[in-house]
Amino acid sequence: MIHVENLVKEFGTKRAVNGISFTVNKGEILGFLGPNGAGKSTTMRMITGFLPPTSGRVTVGGHDVAVEPVAAKKLIGYLPESAPAYSDMTVHGFLSFIAELRGLRGAAGQDAVHRVASMCVLEGVLHQSIDTLSKGYRHRTCLAQSIIHDPQVLVLDEPTDGLDPNQKHEIRLLLKRLGQNKAIIFSTHILEEVDAVCSRAIIIDRGVVVANGSPAELRGRHELAGSVTLRVLGVGAETVRAKLGGLSIVEKSTAREESGWVHARVFPKSKAVNGDLAGAIAELTVREGWRFDELHTEEGRLDEVFRSFTLPDTATSKSK
Amino acid sequence: MNESLRNIWTIAKRELGGYFNSPVAYVFIVIFLLLNGFFTFMLGNFFEIGEASLTRPFFSWHPWLYLFLVPAAGMRLWAEERRVGTLELLLTMPITAWQAIAGKFAASWIFLGIALFLTFPVVLTVSFLGNPDLGAILAGYLGSFLLAGAYLAVTVMTSAMTRNQVISFILSVVICFFLILAGWEPVTNLLVRWAPSWLVETVASFSVMPHFSSFQRGVVDFRDLLFFASVMVFSLFSTSVILRGLRSS
């Protein structure tokens, strides 16, 4: 549905987006990650037709955004970063206005307003002026306008920013539900959100895509991913290390003793996250008669992967 | 209605609602009517002239009255959208920038038309007291409405230039003031001393004054209509260029 090709955006001499390409299909929820100023919002603004790209191409549902902007925009629902809304209007007036611009007039428009108001839990404030609303409500009002025409493509710039944990949870559930038959792209700083909602994630840094894959794949790039930790009581650290190292599928193992417990970490030869290694170790502990209270496979941590991709020069910046 | 007219009307309706849902519209209309009354009856010596005409006591003040009131009515149109960030929302709707510009302009022009219409007691007064040329009065109203439209188009343009309403107001007043002064004799006399006559004439032809005054005399000339129409089209076209430039820089 969304097809982005070598997208470049320059502001003066500064390149905010430097050759980004990706595709989002129907039924996919793409998480857009990156540090502040990486070019996330700029890319989204180009997809929605607000900013014309310096070069490159965006097509939405087969329509080139630069050539057929109106046809492309009809397919898109967009929540801008700051969730702007006309503060002098009521929620109902604002949503009706957007519905009309989206071509939903009369009864169809009113149906759409009430449908999104109930989806975004806005019924209680429908006739309140937007400038009297709390931030959470204002945000949800703007989210409601983005889905009012049941778009095939949703572009959401930080949809959960500034919401409380319950509201965040609601929005994530809503996104998952909507994502079943739409192409959704949303940006976020919250990495658990990617795990909870996305089918795929892209990390961009300084205008370039640095990683693209499912959350599990991205986690798998973590240096500890696939390794197994084990905690054993009553055996010497060296014995544990040697026995673990003796397993055929083990690449290397470490162990240290701490107040009676031995903490061991075992790295497999192949870096796949599956139960093979843990199973082998479990058999070993039974065979040896070790008492253990912890045995689990490390899946990798998104935040560390994120850091490793977006801060390639951590060491040098620390030494400064 | 076709789709583009519908979009224009949707935008215009929202803007009109914006005027009348806040005190802005009422304050504006009251001040407009008070000033009109003051100029007509106090400064214009409506009663002392002893003429059943609105040309001198009423319409001749409008270029000066509009100079401040029209920019005040229109300065918000784009500046506020830019400041609050709703510009991004509006321009990602399935509409063209032209439709948004036309809708906003139409709403404000209709609003100014309503304010102008509410001066009708002056017409009743002059008809009650004498036997005025109603055709000339109608032409005067048409001219006044077009003049307001021309100033408004300039304000729409300056409003798109900045996110600050005050700056938009000042820029608009300055440009409209130029549109008055360009054909004003003390100014043309200054120019004549050093500039070639074609330049003086070119500058003077930008002025609203000669075009407006023929309406006041009751003459509806095609060239005057064309003048006001071209000021409006030019300013609104510039607005679309500014809005595009805003996004591509």
Side-chain angles (χ1 to χ4, degrees):
Chain A
M1 288 301 297
I2 308 173
H3 193 67
V4 175
E5 247 179 78
N6 288 321
L7 208 57
V8 173
K9 181 68 186 176
E10 286 170 352
F11 294 108
T13 55
K14 192 179 166 272
R15 253 188 190 205
V17 172
N18 192 0
I20 284 186
S21 304
F22 61 86
T23 306
V24 189
N25 296 315
K26 191 171 163 178
E28 255 191 316
I29 305 183
L30 177 74
F32 218 42
L33 303 172
N36 287 324
K40 300 190 296 288
S41 290
T42 307
T43 305
M44 293 183 137
R45 284 173 170 162
M46 287 191 278
I47 294 171
T48 55
F50 180 64
L51 291 179
T54 306
S55 70
R57 214 160 81 103
V58 179
T59 54
V60 174
H63 303 283
D64 188 322
V65 175
V67 181
E68 304 170 90
V70 173
K73 286 174 186 175
K74 276 188 179 159
L75 301 177
I76 307 175
Y78 178 39
L79 171 72
E81 190 175 12
S82 54
Y86 294 102
S87 54
D88 55 341
M89 301 179 95
T90 62
V91 173
H92 182 267
F94 174 67
L95 293 178
S96 305
F97 168 66
I98 299 290
E100 263 192 74
L101 284 183
R102 292 294 190 179
L104 299 163
R105 284 154 218 279
Q110 288 312 302
D111 285 352
V113 169
H114 289 288
R115 183 175 53 82
V116 295
S118 83
M119 279 172 107
C120 299
V121 206
L122 291 166
E123 291 112 325
V125 296
L126 261 188
H127 297 283
Q128 225 169 300
S129 168
I130 289 175
D131 55 7
T132 64
L133 296 180
S134 67
K135 191 173 178 189
Y137 274 114
R138 216 170 27 231
H139 213 93
R140 294 210 300 264
T141 303
C142 200
L143 179 69
Q145 72 67 37
S146 71
I147 55 177
I148 200 159
H149 53 305
D150 196 19
Q152 297 180 42
V153 171
L154 257 181
V155 179
L156 309 170
D157 204 346
E158 301 194 10
T160 56
D161 180 45
L163 301 182
D164 69 34
N166 294 337
Q167 294 167 334
K168 279 185 179 144
H169 182 67
E170 292 291 323
I171 298 289
R172 285 173 202 164
L173 290 182
L174 182 65
L175 284 182
K176 269 191 141 164
R177 192 144 50 86
L178 293 170
Q180 289 166 2
N181 51 11
K182 296 184 195 312
I184 300 183
I185 165 166
F186 80 94
S187 69
T188 182
H189 286 299
I190 306 163
L191 293 157
E192 309 94 79
E193 206 149 73
V194 175
D195 258 333
V197 181
C198 297
S199 54
R200 200 151 56 88
I202 280 181
I203 301 178
I204 69 170
D205 186 35
R206 291 168 226 178
V208 185
V209 174
V210 291
N212 182 352
S214 71
E217 277 166 26
L218 291 184
R219 270 201 312 270
R221 306 226 190 148
H222 189 223
E223 52 180 339
L224 295 182
S227 68
V228 169
T229 46
L230 173 70
R231 199 157 82 139
V232 187
L233 187 64
V235 196
E238 199 41 50
T239 326
V240 172
R241 203 193 57 75
K243 290 279 181 194
L244 288 171
L247 290 169
S248 63
I249 54 173
V250 170
E251 170 79 29
K252 66 171 176 134
S253 60
T254 60
R256 68 193 155 81
E257 204 170 329
E258 202 177 293
S259 51
W261 290 95
V262 176
H263 299 255
R265 186 177 290 285
V266 190
F267 293 89
K269 278 181 177 144
S270 77
K271 211 186 162 186
V273 179
N274 54 33
D276 293 358
L277 181 62
I281 294 173
E283 280 169 20
L284 177 74
T285 54
V286 173
R287 226 168 31 235
E288 299 288 332
W290 290 344
R291 287 168 58 203
F292 70 99
D293 77 334
E294 187 188 332
L295 170 65
H296 85 271
T297 308
E298 195 75 54
E299 292 186 328
R301 286 168 52 191
L302 264 186
D303 56 346
E304 303 224 334
V305 175
F306 178 85
R307 280 167 52 80
S308 69
F309 275 115
T310 55
L311 285 173
D313 47 10
T314 321
T316 49
S317 61
K318 265 183 190 160
S319 64
K320 269 176 201 166
Chain B
M1 273 198 289
N2 72 22
E3 195 172 305
S4 80
L5 278 180
R6 271 206 302 252
N7 288 338
I8 292 172
W9 175 234
T10 302
I11 307 259
K13 244 186 349 191
R14 197 200 76 75
E15 290 293 337
L16 271 175
Y19 280 116
F20 287 101
N21 287 339
S22 67
V24 175
Y26 307 100
V27 170
F28 181 90
I29 288 177
V30 166
I31 288 178
F32 178 72
L33 295 178
L34 281 177
L35 286 176
N36 253 313
F38 174 73
F39 281 125
T40 306
F41 295 103
M42 310 295 281
L43 297 180
N45 298 326
F46 176 74
F47 294 114
E48 289 82 347
I49 297 172
E51 248 180 66
S53 148
L54 289 180
T55 305
R56 259 199 295 159
F58 182 66
F59 289 123
S60 64
W61 298 107
H62 284 186
W64 304 97
L65 199 55
Y66 288 154
L67 179 58
F68 294 98
L69 289 182
V70 171
M75 62 189 184
R76 186 181 64 99
L77 289 172
W78 288 107
E80 184 71 2
E81 297 258 2
R82 286 187 59 178
R83 193 181 63 81
V84 181
T86 43
L87 185 69
E88 193 170 345
L89 205 58
L90 188 64
L91 295 181
T92 49
M93 288 291 139
I95 59 169
T96 62
W98 258 114
Q99 289 164 3
I101 293 168
K104 279 173 176 287
F105 174 74
S108 289
W109 207 14
I110 290 170
F111 171 67
L112 293 172
I114 293 170
L116 183 61
F117 174 76
L118 290 175
T119 61
F120 69 87
V122 149
V123 182
L124 298 183
T125 309
V126 75
S127 309
F128 177 72
L129 292 173
N131 197 9
D133 178 355
L134 286 176
I137 290 179
L138 212 59
Y141 267 105
L142 177 64
S144 179
F145 187 53
L146 288 171
L147 179 70
Y151 282 9
L152 181 65
V154 169
T155 308
V156 169
M157 178 181 74
T158 61
S159 177
M161 288 176 182
T162 164
R163 57 183 66 211
N164 185 320
Q165 295 190 24
V166 176
I167 294 174
S168 134
F169 174 82
I170 292 170
L171 281 175
S172 174
V173 169
V174 167
I175 295 174
C176 293
F177 196 44
F178 167 80
L179 287 180
I180 295 181
L181 290 187
W184 198 42
E185 252 180 43
V187 174
T188 47
N189 287 347
L190 270 178
L191 279 176
V192 160
R193 283 193 213 149
W194 54 271
S197 62
W198 61 265
L199 183 65
V200 178
E201 275 167 33
T202 311
V203 171
S205 67
F206 278 111
S207 177
V208 293
M209 292 307 250
H211 302 283
F212 180 57
S213 63
S214 52
F215 280 102
Q216 289 181 62
R217 290 194 305 272
V219 181
V220 179
D221 190 322
F222 176 72
R223 281 169 299 177
D224 299 325
L225 292 174
L226 191 68
F227 168 79
F228 284 116
S230 46
V231 171
M232 286 184 236
V233 170
F234 174 79
S235 303
L236 296 183
F237 179 73
S238 308
T239 308
S240 75
V241 172
I242 291 166
L243 286 178
R244 199 176 321 139
L246 208 69
R247 296 186 283 147
S248 41
S249 62

